[in-house]
Amino acid sequence: WNRSRDPSFLLDESFSGTSMSEPTSLSPEAAGILEELGPLFSFPDPDDLPAQSFWRASLSSEWELNPFRIVNSLSAVKVRLRQHEADLVAEQHRIAEETIRLFHEVSLHRERVAALDAEIQAREEFLDITRRRFRLELSTELDTLRAAVSVANLRPGSRRARKDLHNAAARLNLTMGREPLSPLTIVPVESVETAPVDRDEALQLAGERPDLRSLGLQVTFLRKRRGVERAEQRPSLSLGGSYGYVARSAGDLGDHDYWSASASLVVPLFDGLLTKGRVQEVEGTVAAAEEAERAARRRARLDVTTTLEEREAARESWEAATLTLEAADRALEQTTLRYELGQLGFLDVLNSQAQRFDARRNLIQARYDLLVETASLKRSLGSDPLLPLSRVREHRTGETR
């Protein structure tokens, strides 16, 4: 709502209701003013016009078209979407690696429980043999006591192994989004991947890891953002428009409409160095992001090299533990048989049992280490840890293309 003195409203037929050829339709004040205008049709003094009140309702819009900013902004959006995709893949690989590690941890404790149960059963059988030999006066009471002690010493370890198995299963359930106490059926992995991996090839594959790709896209995004800031110093086109209604009373507001349109070229001259400061700020962020990317690539190379060495050590330990367990099984079998024949003493059998148990425990641990390090190697190469190692190169090459 506004109140003003404007001679154009008095001379416009849309407000007087008639054309200028019908002076009788004008108000007395307007007729008097027109009379004073004379043949020159000059405007009167605005103070001589009566003040009039008007109601206005309008919708105004403005558009600023800056091609440089639009291009950089759209490019930045595309880069950011690609970065989010890379982050998603990297997070999926990390979760897969953690899930595989917990799965093998459950299998590790499960095998330890089975090994302890088997060892307890074997030593209980040996205890029965010792008791029979004691009744036949072929062994002493101390031998029987030592055999019973060897069985008793294993039972607390079995209880702890079951507790560790329970805790590992709870952690695996949590990682999979399940209730911690939900029952699990573990299908053990029968084979391990022992194929060697070329170091140079591994370093080449690691250069395209999703997390490194995300950092590179972050640098690209910041450069696009720098272009957006620089666009504020470039000329732009400003468009404006307005459409609405005007009347002397609120009830007649829809009777008369009006519109306006404008176009202007905006050429920035000086903004107090604000844009320059923003550009310099983004340039500093770009430099920091570039350095972070370079540091991440160095850490990735170190990660691959370390994981390769750890996996190779785990593979050698697994192979040695396999041979050691085979030899310990044969040694225990022969020692037990010679003990029953009276050719060896009681302590020889106990030592063989302890060696066989240690060999089995070492093999379980070595197998777990090899499986976990293999999964970590796949993740460090930028591949899904669930993918077979033989297909990692083929998969990563196709993904890069």
Side-chain angles (χ1 to χ4, degrees), residues 23 25 79 102 140 160 172 180 186 206 218 288 296 320 342 371 390:
S25 62
V79 171
L102 291 173
T140 64
R160 285 193 298 270
L172 179 59
I186 297 297
Q218 174 68 12
L371 290 170
S390 58

Side-chain angles (χ1 to χ4, degrees), residues 164-310:
D164 294 339
L165 174 61
H166 179 272
N167 294 336
R171 289 193 294 270
L172 179 59
N173 275 324
L174 288 176
T175 303
M176 295 189 299
R178 291 158 47 97
E179 290 296 326
L181 300 181
S182 300
L184 287 173
T185 300
I186 297 297
V187 180
V189 178
E190 299 296 336
S191 60
V192 295
E193 298 176 280
T194 59
V197 178
D198 183 72
R199 181 177 179 275
D200 295 335
E201 182 180 349
L203 292 174
Q204 181 181 1
L205 293 175
E208 293 297 328
R209 280 173 27 172
D211 55 337
L212 298 181
R213 192 162 63 248
S214 174
L215 290 174
L217 291 171
Q218 174 68 12
V219 174
T220 304
F221 170 78
L222 291 174
R223 289 172 179 168
K224 297 296 181 181
R225 181 184 165 194
R226 179 178 57 190
V228 172
E229 296 294 343
R230 284 178 175 173
E232 297 295 333
Q233 297 175 328
R234 306 291 178 85
S236 62
L237 184 64
S238 177
L239 302 176
S242 177
Y243 181 83
Y245 295 91
V246 60
R248 290 181 177 178
S249 62
D252 299 331
L253 192 59
D255 293 343
H256 306 285
D257 61 345
Y258 72 94
W259 61 271
S260 65
S262 63
S264 58
L265 180 64
V266 181
V267 181
L269 296 178
F270 183 72
D271 61 355
L273 303 179
L274 177 61
T275 302
K276 182 178 179 181
R278 288 178 176 175
V279 171
Q280 291 177 345
E281 180 182 2
V282 177
E283 286 178 347
T285 307
V286 171
E290 290 174 343
E291 180 58 32
E293 181 188 8
R294 289 191 291 267
R297 291 190 177 278
R298 291 193 292 267
R299 289 194 299 269
R301 290 193 292 270
L302 176 61
D303 184 20
V304 170
T305 303
T306 303
T307 306
L308 280 173
E309 294 175 353
E310 293 290 342

